[in-house]
Amino acid sequence: MLPEVIETDRLILRPYSLDDVDDVLSYASDPEWARYLGPVPQPYTKADAEEFLAGKLSQDRKNRASWAIEYAGSAIGGVDIGFDIRNRVGTIGYSIARRLWGKGLATEAAGAVIDASFAACPELNRIQATTDQRNVGSLRIMEKLGMVREGFLRQHQYVRGEFRNTVWCGLLRCEWEAHRTR
């Protein structure tokens, strides 16, 4: 079982709370933040933030774990990881408020969840992530985490009136172990 709270040098990854509604609304209502995130409604409303939080609070942590990323006392984004135990695969996703892009916070948060996931789940062999081909920042994060680009799906999603290409990246346990020992 993954820890409910994970602390890094600058962040606290903790369960979401209904008290996070204003913080979530603040970052998720930014169209540039949501640009590459398919399922995020735009415009984003307080009702959307409340529905998002209700979903996070009702998750079964055995199949999907989520954390709010807290920085300087506010929720600034989130990390989640879903598990396909039969295939020994985890799928990670992350987001950070646009005002904090480029500071390494998403890499720090996602890296902490990857470390915790491999440590807590010895049967886990692979963690993967996807992003829109145009999301250079997210691809850079995946590379910093040690992930390898493995696939490219043309016109994989239809979002907000356009087809989008998806890049798949993955990190194997053996790669994670080798990366940690350097």
Side-chain angles (χ1 to χ4, degrees):
M1 190 67 142
L2 289 167
E4 284 196 17
V5 176
I6 301 171
E7 294 190 33
T8 70
D9 290 341
R10 299 180 290 172
L11 306 170
I12 299 172
L13 309 182
R14 56 156 176 86
Y16 283 96
S17 158
L18 293 177
D19 293 336
D20 294 327
V21 70
D22 290 333
D23 290 339
V24 171
L25 179 61
S26 174
Y27 66 76
S29 62
D30 177 352
E32 188 61 23
W33 173 88
R35 179 185 209 185
Y36 301 118
L37 301 174
V40 178
Q42 287 298 306
Y44 197 85
T45 66
K46 187 170 186 172
D48 294 321
E50 291 167 344
E51 182 179 337
F52 168 80
L53 291 171
K56 294 298 180 188
L57 295 173
S58 67
Q59 282 181 172
D60 177 358
R61 287 185 58 82
K62 291 177 188 166
N63 298 320
R64 176 171 290 287
S66 295
W67 296 265
I69 301 170
E70 185 176 308
Y71 176 73
S74 297
I76 58 151
V79 180
D80 69 285
I81 187 163
F83 297 102
D84 174 355
I85 296 302
R86 184 174 58 90
N87 290 305
R88 300 178 177 205
V89 174
T91 301
I92 193 168
Y94 46 83
S95 67
I96 293 281
R98 181 166 58 116
R99 66 185 169 80
L100 296 166
W101 287 357
K103 299 184 182 309
L105 298 174
T107 305
E108 186 174 327
V113 169
I114 288 171
D115 290 347
S117 297
F118 276 130
C121 307
E123 69 280 1
L124 188 64
N125 183 58
R126 168 188 171 77
I127 295 178
Q128 62 192 18
T130 65
T131 190
D132 184 302
Q133 168 195 9
R134 300 167 296 178
N135 193 343
V136 176
S138 188
L139 286 167
R140 200 170 22 240
I141 290 166
M142 291 177 200
E143 290 168 358
K144 287 179 185 177
L145 293 170
M147 292 186 162
V148 175
R149 290 186 195 201
E150 298 175 331
F152 181 80
L153 301 174
R154 298 176 302 140
Q155 298 184 2
H156 179 240
Q157 292 182 310
Y158 188 72
V159 180
R160 294 186 199 97
E162 66 178 355
F163 286 103
R164 295 186 179 189
N165 299 327
T166 300
V167 177
W168 280 79
C169 295
L171 176 67
L172 302 178
R173 176 180 285 279
C174 61
E175 295 165 337
W176 170 76
E177 289 170 346
H179 189 260
R180 290 192 64 204
T181 58
R182 284 191 227 155

